[in-house]
Amino acid sequence: MQESRESGPYKEPADLKGATSLEAIRQVVPTTPASKTSTVLRLLSLVAGILGLAVSLGLSFQPLPAAALAPCIAFLSGAIVFRRFPAADEIARYWTRQQVESEVSELPEGLELEDVYSSALQEVNAQHQSVLEALGAIVIRRDGEGRVLYVNEAAAHAFKPGDQPRVGEFLKLPTLSGGLTSHAPAVNETPSEVEIDTQKGPRWFSVLNLRVSDSSGAAPVLQTILRDVTQRRRAEEKLREGLSQAAIANEAKSRFLATVSHEIRTPLNGILGMAGLLRDTRLSPEQRTYVDAVDTSGQALLVLIDELLDYSKIDADKLALNVKPTNLRSVVDGVVELLAPKAQDKGLEIGAFIDHELPEIVEIDEARIRQILLNLAGNGIKFTEKGGISVLVEKDERALARVGQIPLKISISDTGPGFSEEQAARIFNEFEQLDHGRTRKFGGTGLGLAISQRLAQLMDGTISAQGEPGKGATFTLRLPVTAVEEPYKRPETELEGTKVLLLSSGATEAPLIARCLQQHGCTVQELSGDSSDVWNALSQASLLIVCEQAVANMASWLEIAKTHQPELKCIVVVAPSERDKLPQLKAIGFDAYLVRPVRGSSLLTVADKLVNGDAMDQISEAADPERSLVHTETTLAKSALRFLVAEDNEINRMLTGALLKKMGHQTHFVGNGEEAVNAALSGDFDAVLMDLHMPGIDGVTAVRQIRSADNPRALSLPIIVVTADVLPETRAAALDAGANGFITKPLNFTDLANILNSIY
């Protein structure tokens, strides 16, 4: 039995677990026996079976107990015949096959699952392929060694016949700019781009290599997807070309404006300089009016040129900030005082309030902050006919600032015509004007506010505008600044609790004065000179501040006031043009004076000294430190100097010579760079004024040659550049070449005197 079981063809049902179809099952359970039983054994078993059957029949007729052995012998004989006879295996195999086929027919889905998966995978691959075909992508698959396994139809349409990737060969594409030419497969999750020679000529393709696996569990293959991106590349190149052309155009525009500025400033230097010289001669009132008109027109033209240059530099991103520790109060007060004469000529008030809780020194670009304030406050003066302009500098309580920074808010308000919301939305646009056309009342380029906004943005700030037609406007500059010193701490002074009566006929400057005093502990009551409450308020006040125009008959009024309050201390506020009245005002009883626009520091100094009992003579310098005059007096060099002037313009020669002559110096002129170098090294001159644009060699080269010469005077000779070229790079080049100073035209007395005083 054991031998038969080992040699027989029968397989256990467990072997069926690998079968997936009826055909496979039939292969597992064969229909033809593979018996190894010998013929002799079969014959012997047949004979034994027949004999056993005969014996059993014979015994069946015998009496018991012999008859009982007949069935046993018959069973054994049949078993021998059945086991050794081939029909037994056939019968067993037949019934096994029938049973398995019945079970498989009842479970068709389970046995055909792999076919379903294979069909689904083929469908997904077909969809993926259709998407790639729709996109025009080329798909190439390679094995681990880099040999091509598959290429889709898109490759046949793209590559030339000789360049077609071929199955079984290494991939080598006809690239023009380097890229996918290596045999070794590589994976790049980020697409790269290569230029390939195709049937349509050179085309750019995006190349993406990914490893993909199929459902069979075989080693993954490298799938290369090539997508034509020529149109995008061409669009990008066109955009880059456009940007390059725009940059070139911007550069050309900047050079053009710089050249035009230089050419305009050269004759403008003569116009303004000669007007200044003419003003110092004996003129009739009519002639002086004409000279003032020439000077005003020249200054207006100079402002327009500067605005165009600033806009050009900002537009070309060439404007660099110069941030350094700066006294904020000095900058704001200086702007107000500079604009005061223009405002007072129009009958306007102008003043400033600076919160004393702000730090004294902050890190800002002083020149650009001054430029913004001059633009905004200057616009207020320009558009306002009645009232005034106020400048408020405070901490912006609503803004958040980084550690170490203070959110600064500067508000410039005017009582002008105002503007609508629609106008406010476009007011910061370049070349924008509130009034247009031939009937517009106000001139200008419309660049001042645009430049101010761009400057504020460069400093991480903003400028906003609020206004209402007929009710004035307010421009607010918000700017984060870094404090260099601790915030100002209000000192304990005798002003704490002081009651002040402030009489004024205006509504702009008086509130600023009152706010400054209130911040230092004073109680301030503002009234007009003709108010019925004046005398009652006067009896309770210890300090009186009167704006000169607030009272009609100042002498008699002050006499009555002193009667009501004998201990009253009195301050009068006068315009710079009213200085000649100071002796008379002192004679009628005023203790001190302030010059408009009133500085907060001067106001507090005067008030504090009066409370302490000082007289007007002792505090006049503190009250009026001559800062209301726009120009600064300069001390000229004590001895006459011999100047070499390198200038090729005849009018500018005349102007420079006249200025130096007024200062007590001698001049010698040369007209080109070579002459300037030779004359400077001769040792006959004490200083050189060097123009930069001259025939022969330019001024920068001339300065460099002088400094590099083997001459005892080469390094010690003072050289001052005087030019109409205002570009920062020009200044840097001149100073790097060895110039001691740099003055931009129009040349004026103050600039020249100041730089000479700094050298000598």
Side-chain angles (χ1 to χ4, degrees):
M1 293 294 290
Q2 181 67 27
E3 179 184 349
S4 174
R5 186 176 295 275
E6 290 178 354
S7 60
Y10 178 77
K11 292 190 176 186
E12 293 293 336
D15 293 334
L16 297 176
K17 64 182 179 180
T20 57
S21 64
L22 293 177
E23 185 61 30
I25 293 172
R26 292 189 179 98
Q27 292 177 2
V28 175
V29 187
T31 57
T32 303
S35 177
K36 296 182 180 180
T37 307
S38 65
T39 305
V40 176
L41 290 176
R42 290 178 181 176
L43 291 175
L44 289 176
S45 63
L46 181 61
V47 171
I50 294 172
L51 289 176
L53 182 62
V55 171
S56 64
L57 289 174
L59 291 174
S60 62
F61 295 103
Q62 297 297 323
L64 293 174
L69 296 173
C72 295
I73 295 173
F75 178 79
L76 291 173
S77 300
I80 292 172
V81 174
F82 186 82
R83 181 71 186 107
R84 289 299 179 184
F85 202 76
D89 289 343
E90 289 294 333
I91 294 171
R93 216 169 5 256
Y94 173 79
W95 286 111
T96 300
R97 186 168 61 250
Q98 290 296 320
Q99 181 181 3
V100 171
E101 289 181 358
S102 175
E103 293 177 355
V104 169
S105 64
E106 293 177 359
L107 301 171
E109 294 182 0
L111 293 176
E112 297 175 0
L113 187 59
E114 184 174 342
D115 291 339
V116 174
Y117 285 160
S118 177
S119 175
L121 183 60
Q122 291 176 1
E123 182 178 355
V124 170
N125 287 337
Q127 292 176 353
H128 176 64
Q129 186 67 27
S130 65
V131 171
L132 294 176
E133 295 288 351
L135 294 175
I138 299 171
V139 181
I140 303 171
R141 290 183 178 176
R142 292 178 285 166
D143 60 19
E145 297 180 355
R147 298 181 184 276
V148 177
L149 299 174
Y150 166 81
V151 182
N152 70 343
E153 295 182 3
H157 301 301
F159 300 125
K160 296 177 181 179
D163 297 329
Q164 294 284 342
R166 292 177 174 80
V167 175
E169 297 181 359
F170 291 110
L171 176 63
K172 187 174 181 63
L173 298 177
T175 57
L176 300 177
S177 57
L180 216 155
T181 58
S182 173
H183 294 171
V187 177
N188 61 315
E189 297 182 355
T190 303
S192 58
E193 294 182 359
V194 294
E195 190 176 17
I196 298 177
D197 186 20
T198 68
Q199 296 183 20
K200 299 179 181 179
R203 307 284 293 182
W204 282 94
F205 285 84
S206 170
V207 182
L208 179 64
N209 292 328
L210 297 173
R211 293 199 181 277
V212 296
S213 303
D214 57 19
S215 60
S216 65
V221 298
L222 184 69
Q223 180 167 279
T224 299
I225 302 175
L226 303 174
R227 189 166 59 88
D228 193 331
V229 293
T230 305
Q231 294 299 327
R232 177 178 62 77
R233 289 281 301 208
R234 289 175 179 172
E236 290 177 353
E237 290 174 1
K238 188 174 181 180
L239 178 60
R240 281 194 294 269
E241 182 180 355
L243 291 174
S244 176
Q245 291 177 351
I248 293 172
N250 249 343
E251 183 67 26
K253 179 182 67 176
S254 298
R255 289 197 304 268
F256 170 75
L257 285 176
T259 302
V260 169
S261 169
H262 176 270
E263 296 303 318
I264 293 177
R265 280 174 180 272
T266 299
L268 189 58
N269 179 51
I271 293 171
L272 293 176
M274 291 302 175
L277 292 176
L278 187 59
R279 187 185 290 108
D280 292 337
T281 63
R282 293 183 179 180
L283 300 173
S284 67
E286 184 179 7
Q287 291 171 330
R288 186 167 297 278
T289 300
Y290 296 156
V291 171
D292 289 342
V294 171
D295 183 74
T296 300
S297 299
Q299 294 293 343
L301 180 58
L302 188 61
V303 170
L304 296 182
I305 295 171
D306 289 338
E307 285 185 347
L308 289 171
L309 274 178
D310 283 340
Y311 174 74
S312 173
K313 286 186 285 187
I314 293 174
D315 200 45
D317 292 329
K318 289 187 175 181
L319 188 66
L321 298 177
N322 181 25
V323 178
K324 60 183 180 181
T326 304
N327 190 311
L328 181 62
R329 288 179 173 82
S330 295
V331 173
V332 176
D333 285 337
V335 167
V336 171
E337 289 160 7
L338 188 63
L339 294 174
K342 186 183 294 185
Q344 291 161 1
D345 287 344
K346 293 185 67 173
L348 303 175
E349 294 184 354
I350 185 170
F353 168 77
I354 304 169
D355 191 346
H356 281 273
E357 298 298 327
L358 291 173
E360 190 77 17
I361 306 296
V362 295
E363 290 187 351
I364 56 175
D365 187 326
E366 179 181 352
R368 297 306 173 186
I369 290 292
R370 182 181 290 108
Q371 183 177 358
I372 293 174
L373 297 182
L374 285 172
N375 272 333
L376 298 180
N379 264 358
I381 295 173
K382 176 181 176 180
F383 289 98
T384 302
E385 299 296 335
K386 185 179 180 181
I389 297 89
S390 61
V391 181
L392 302 179
V393 184
E394 307 166 283
K395 183 178 179 180
D396 191 355
E397 300 295 344
R398 298 183 304 170
L400 297 177
R402 289 177 291 185
V403 177
Q405 288 190 329
I406 295 175
L408 191 67
K409 182 176 76 170
I410 304 178
S411 304
I412 296 93
S413 302
D414 62 62
T415 56
F419 41 75
S420 63
E421 292 184 5
E422 184 272 332
Q423 290 173 321
R426 61 179 174 84
I427 201 171
F428 291 102
N429 295 337
E430 290 86 352
F431 308 105
E432 190 64 62
Q433 297 279 6
L434 288 181
D435 53 345
H436 295 273
R438 299 178 181 177
T439 60
R440 69 188 183 112
K441 181 178 180 181
F442 304 100
T445 61
L447 285 175
L449 291 178
I451 291 172
S452 298
Q453 181 71 285
R454 298 283 287 274
L455 290 175
Q457 291 170 353
L458 282 175
M459 295 182 282
D460 297 327
T462 60
I463 299 179
S464 59
Q466 298 83 33
E468 188 175 346
K471 296 185 178 180
T474 299
F475 291 86
T476 304
L477 168 64
R478 288 183 167 87
L479 191 70
V481 298
T482 301
V484 178
E485 294 184 356
E486 290 295 322
Y488 175 86
K489 295 182 179 179
R490 188 175 67 188
E492 294 295 332
T493 66
E494 294 297 330
L495 295 178
E496 191 75 33
T498 302
K499 293 184 178 180
V500 181
L501 174 61
L502 177 58
L503 298 183
S504 174
S505 58
T508 299
E509 197 169 10
L512 302 177
I513 294 174
R515 188 169 179 180
C516 180
L517 292 170
Q518 288 168 349
Q519 197 172 49
H520 285 77
C522 297
T523 302
V524 183
Q525 186 173 5
E526 297 179 54
L527 294 173
S528 61
D530 56 357
S531 173
S532 59
D533 297 329
V534 168
W535 305 114
N536 182 43
L538 193 63
S539 62
Q540 302 177 17
S542 57
L543 181 62
L544 172 67
I545 301 177
V546 182
C547 295
E548 204 269 333
Q549 301 89 349
V551 178
N553 191 340
M554 183 65 72
S556 59
W557 187 92
L558 188 59
E559 184 179 355
I560 299 173
K562 290 280 188 177
T563 303
H564 281 74
Q565 181 63 282
E567 301 299 325
L568 187 67
K569 300 295 183 180
C570 303
I571 302 174
V572 63
V573 180
V574 298
S577 59
E578 298 170 336
R579 292 174 183 272
D580 57 340
K581 298 182 180 179
L582 290 177
Q584 179 185 354
L585 293 171
K586 180 181 178 182
I588 65 176
F590 280 102
D591 300 290
Y593 69 92
L594 293 168
V595 178
R596 306 172 71 179
V598 177
R599 277 198 180 199
S601 57
S602 297
L603 171 65
L604 296 173
T605 300
V606 172
D608 188 45
K609 285 182 176 292
L610 282 181
V611 170
N612 288 320
D614 291 331
M616 184 174 180
D617 288 340
Q618 296 172 295
I619 63 173
S620 58
E621 184 177 353
D624 180 27
E626 298 295 334
R627 85 287 176 279
S628 61
L629 298 178
V630 175
H631 66 275
T632 303
E633 294 184 5
T634 57
T635 55
L636 308 182
K638 295 181 180 179
S639 59
L641 302 175
R642 294 167 298 168
F643 274 87
L644 171 65
V645 180
E647 174 64 68
D648 62 321
N649 185 278
E650 190 63 35
I651 296 177
N652 287 335
R653 284 187 180 189
M654 188 185 308
L655 171 62
T656 306
L659 284 176
L660 291 174
K661 184 178 180 180
K662 286 186 64 175
M663 300 169 72
H665 305 303
Q666 300 175 5
T667 56
H668 175 75
F669 295 97
V670 293
N672 59 63
E674 291 91 342
E675 293 178 1
V677 174
N678 295 331
L681 296 175
S682 67
D684 297 333
F685 302 100
D686 300 309
V688 179
L689 294 184
M690 181 76 72
D691 187 25
L692 293 186
H693 296 263
M694 293 184 296
I697 61 174
D698 62 89
V700 173
T701 304
V703 173
R704 191 175 292 113
Q705 289 184 6
I706 294 172
R707 294 302 188 210
S708 61
D710 185 13
N711 188 295
R713 291 282 292 158
L715 297 178
S716 61
L717 181 65
I719 303 176
I720 303 169
V721 169
V722 181
T723 180
D725 192 338
V726 297
L727 294 179
E729 50 266 34
T730 303
R731 175 188 289 268
L735 296 178
D736 289 343
N740 299 91
F742 191 93
I743 301 176
T744 57
K745 296 176 181 178
L747 179 64
N748 61 69
F749 181 92
T750 302
D751 289 342
L752 184 56
N754 285 338
I755 201 166
L756 289 178
N757 288 332
S758 67
I759 294 175
Y760 293 98

